């Protein structure tokens, strides 16, 4: 008798042992709650990843400011989402547009949502909201007023993210059409990415980024080591982000038996897309520029992770690899396009990683979904719905973000002064330095 037969028999024995008759419902709820909370803790740890990646990708004179922004967007977002955002996203739907209940903490905390306690579900959704908010920080780094960033973080958590989220995850009109976004390529990443496009455009580039003839200059980040650490942390956190979106560690089948959700497969599609993205970006830059770029390979891995997030539960492992490989090439091309053609200064590559790859990954579900995708005989219907969702969420986020940033700019101001930017936001905004023992040097390379 082979080991595979013994192993399969043992697994069947375990599943039979924990039958619907023998396993209390309370224990099933406990298993799923623990699974969801552990996943939420992993997603929360991604805040550290974003902080490291953004800090390493920018100059050292703004390191403390970036730490503060990544701390405060979670602090502010947690409170704003609990009191207002959660109700807009998951309250009783008004015409499929927004929720109308569960505001100001008036929530039935003893109830359950999706098979887990309400409070566990709120925490899970809170860490996702914080991820969307923090994406903008990288694109607007080194020149944004801290008070303005705090206002933005509050508004995106209060209104912009929850309403679009309601359309897709709260039973809104897009979900009713069959829009597929399992873990948030659109809901989380493209919302943050579109807001970053608007914010960085209104804000303008850093001093010295573009020469008088419009050619971009390279302003290298101060630590590729920190940036790489950030990517590894984000990759690790994504194993909570995507598999955790099942909200189940153990599922009850229609026939009353228990089965383990496809969390292993989701983890595999997540990992292989990231690996493909990193490899593709490395090879692309190697062939184009003669040397493999470390920073672009890191961005490629993030691009692959963002792109697979929508379809991680719907595509095959091979399909995930294709999505990751294409994302790795796309993110490099997008970074160059944003910088050279659109003339948008995005120090951390947030727009390309999250907006470009978020949109791309959402559309790829329409092709690679093994049940309804075009490449699997499902026709154009799903691809059409995915396209509609991308346009609708993009239009909503661009419009609301434009109003938000314009109002902020006209009131408290969006950008720091010339003197403050040159001195660095650590000193000008906080009177504290991330590297107090080091002499700060501005490095700008003409390309």
């Amino acid at each position: 008798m082979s080991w595979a037969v013994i192993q399969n028999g043992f697994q069947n024995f375990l599943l039979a042992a924990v039958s619907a008759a023998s396993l209390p419902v309370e224990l099933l709820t406990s298993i799923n709650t623990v699974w969801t909370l552990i996943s939420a803790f992993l997603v929360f740890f991604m805040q550290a990843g974003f902080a490291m990646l953004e800090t390493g990708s920018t100059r050292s004179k703004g390191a403390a400011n970036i730490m503060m922004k990544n701390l405060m967007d979670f602090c502010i977002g947690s409170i704003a989402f609990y009191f207002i955002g959660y109700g807009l996203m998951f309250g009783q739907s008004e015409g499929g547009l927004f929720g109308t209940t569960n505001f100001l903490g008036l929530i039935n905390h003893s109830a359950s949502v999706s098979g887990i306690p309400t409070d566990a579900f709120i925490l899970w959704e809170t860490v996702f909201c914080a991820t969307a908010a923090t994406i903008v920080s990288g694109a607007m780094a080194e020149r944004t007023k801290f008070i303005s960033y705090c206002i933005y973080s509050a508004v995106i958590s209060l209104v912009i993210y929850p309403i679009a989220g309601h359309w897709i995850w709260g039973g809104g009109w897009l979900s009713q059409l069959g829009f597929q976004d399992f873990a948030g390529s659109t809901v989380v990443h493209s919302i943050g990415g579109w807001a970053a496009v608007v914010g960085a455009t209104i804000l303008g580039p850093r001093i010295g980024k573009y020469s008088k003839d419009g050619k971009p200059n390279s302003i290298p980040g101060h630590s590729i080591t920190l940036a790489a650490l950030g990517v590894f942390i984000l990759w690790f956190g994504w194993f909570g982000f995507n598999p955790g979106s099942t909200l189940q560690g153990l599922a009850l089948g229609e026939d009353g038996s228990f089965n383990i959700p496809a969390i292993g497969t989701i983890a595999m599609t997540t990992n292989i897309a990231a690996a493909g993205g990193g490899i593709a970006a490395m090879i692309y830059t190697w062939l184009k520029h003669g040397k493999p770029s470390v920073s672009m390979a890191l961005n490629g891995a993030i691009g692959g992770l963002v792109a697979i997030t929508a379809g991680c539960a719907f595509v095959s492992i091979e399909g995930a690899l294709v999505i990751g490989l294409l994302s790795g090439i796309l993110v490099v091309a997008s970074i160059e396009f944003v910088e050279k053609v659109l003339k948008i200064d995005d120090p951390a590559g947030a727009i390309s990683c999250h907006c470009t790859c978020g949109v791309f990954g959402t559309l790829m579900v329409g092709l690679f979904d093994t049940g309804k995708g075009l490449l699997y005989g499902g026709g154009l219907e799903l691809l059409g719905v995915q396209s509609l969702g991308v346009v609708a969420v993009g239009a909503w986020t661009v419009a609301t973000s434009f109003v938000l940033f314009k109002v902020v700019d006209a009131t408290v101001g969006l950008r720091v002064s010339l003197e403050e930017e040159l001195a660095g936001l650590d000193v000008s905004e906080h009177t504290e330095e991330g590297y107090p023992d080091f002499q700060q040097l501005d490095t700008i390379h003409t390309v």
Side-chain angles (χ1 to χ4, degrees):
M1 182 180 295
S2 68
W3 169 248
V5 173
I6 296 174
Q7 185 180 41
N8 185 59
F10 182 66
Q11 289 176 339
N12 290 335
F13 169 78
L14 287 178
L15 287 174
V18 285
S19 63
S22 62
L23 185 66
V25 174
E26 292 80 3
L27 183 55
L28 175 64
T29 301
S30 297
I31 292 171
N32 292 338
T33 301
V34 170
W35 165 251
T36 302
L37 288 176
I38 290 174
S39 298
F41 302 154
L42 287 174
V43 178
F44 168 73
F45 190 49
M46 291 172 71
Q47 288 288 124
F50 281 115
M52 294 298 102
L53 175 56
E54 184 184 344
T55 302
S57 301
T58 54
R59 288 173 287 189
S60 58
K61 62 183 181 179
N65 173 257
I66 290 170
M67 293 298 110
M68 189 67 159
K69 288 193 299 180
N70 279 271
L71 172 64
M72 282 299 113
D73 61 33
F74 188 83
C75 293
I76 294 169
S78 293
I79 297 171
F81 185 77
Y82 173 69
F83 283 104
I84 301 295
Y86 178 75
L88 286 173
M89 192 164 177
F90 294 104
Q92 183 175 342
S93 185
E94 178 62 39
L97 298 175
F98 52 85
T100 58
T101 57
N102 297 326
F103 295 116
L104 302 176
L106 299 177
I107 301 168
N108 184 0
H109 294 277
S110 62
S112 63
V113 181
S114 299
I116 60 175
T118 298
D119 289 345
F121 182 76
I122 294 174
L123 179 64
W124 172 252
E125 294 300 332
T126 297
V127 295
F128 271 58
C129 178
T131 300
T134 202
I135 289 168
V136 181
S137 176
M140 300 176 67
E142 296 194 33
R143 69 249 197 231
T144 306
K145 284 186 176 181
F146 179 67
I147 182 62
S148 301
Y149 184 78
C150 289
I151 294 171
Y152 151 77
S153 295
V155 174
I156 193 172
S157 302
L158 284 167
V159 180
I160 298 175
Y161 171 84
I163 288 181
H166 179 80
W167 298 349
I168 299 168
W169 288 346
W173 66 277
L174 278 175
S175 67
Q176 294 169 21
L177 291 176
F179 184 82
Q180 300 272 36
D181 187 9
F182 186 75
S185 288
T186 287
V187 176
V188 178
H189 296 283
S190 78
I191 287 179
W194 285 118
V197 171
V198 176
T201 301
I202 294 174
L203 188 63
R206 290 168 291 175
I207 297 169
K209 176 61 182 176
Y210 293 96
S211 59
K212 291 182 179 180
D213 60 2
K215 291 184 178 179
N217 296 315
S218 174
I219 306 178
H222 82 279
S223 175
I224 200 72
T225 307
L226 283 180
L229 174 62
V231 170
F232 284 122
I233 292 173
L234 288 169
W235 196 328
F236 176 65
W238 238 286
F239 290 126
F241 205 99
N242 287 358
S245 291
T246 60
L247 302 181
Q248 292 180 318
L250 191 65
L252 179 63
E254 294 181 358
D255 60 354
S257 64
F258 287 98
N259 57 78
I260 299 174
I263 53 180
T265 302
I266 295 172
M268 273 297 300
T269 56
T270 300
N271 186 67
I272 205 164
I279 290 173
M282 178 192 69
I283 294 174
Y284 181 69
T285 56
W286 205 337
L287 293 175
K288 186 174 183 180
H289 302 295
K291 298 289 183 180
S293 169
V294 180
S295 61
M296 288 300 182
L298 294 172
N299 280 324
I302 295 298
L305 287 164
V306 170
I308 197 57
T309 297
C312 58
F314 311 129
V315 305
S316 67
I317 294 174
E318 294 76 18
L321 177 58
V322 173
I323 292 172
L325 290 169
L326 293 175
S327 298
I329 298 171
L330 180 63
V331 74
V332 177
S334 177
I335 287 173
E336 295 179 352
F337 178 80
V338 168
E339 179 183 66
K340 297 177 180 179
V341 179
L342 299 182
K343 306 295 184 184
I344 298 176
D345 182 13
D346 178 5
I351 293 170
S352 298
C353 287
H354 298 279
C355 183
T356 303
C357 291
V359 167
F360 174 74
T362 302
L363 295 176
M364 287 301 97
V365 176
L367 296 180
F368 289 96
D369 185 305
T370 55
K372 296 178 287 185
L374 177 62
L375 298 180
Y376 290 83
L380 291 169
E381 182 179 355
L382 179 58
L383 182 60
V385 172
Q386 297 298 102
S387 301
L388 175 62
V390 163
V391 172
V393 172
W396 161 257
T397 308
V398 168
T400 51
S401 297
F402 180 82
V403 173
L404 167 62
F405 286 122
K406 280 294 186 180
V407 170
V408 170
D409 195 30
T411 51
V412 300
L414 192 58
R415 184 166 184 149
V416 297
S417 68
L418 171 65
E419 295 75 17
E420 290 171 328
E421 183 176 345
L422 290 175
L425 301 191
D426 285 6
V427 174
S428 62
E429 290 285 280
H430 309 287
T431 64
E432 295 174 299
E433 296 182 63
Y435 299 95
D437 296 331
F438 294 171
Q439 181 180 1
Q440 307 294 333
L441 297 175
D442 278 347
T443 303
I444 299 177
H445 296 160
T446 303
V447 293

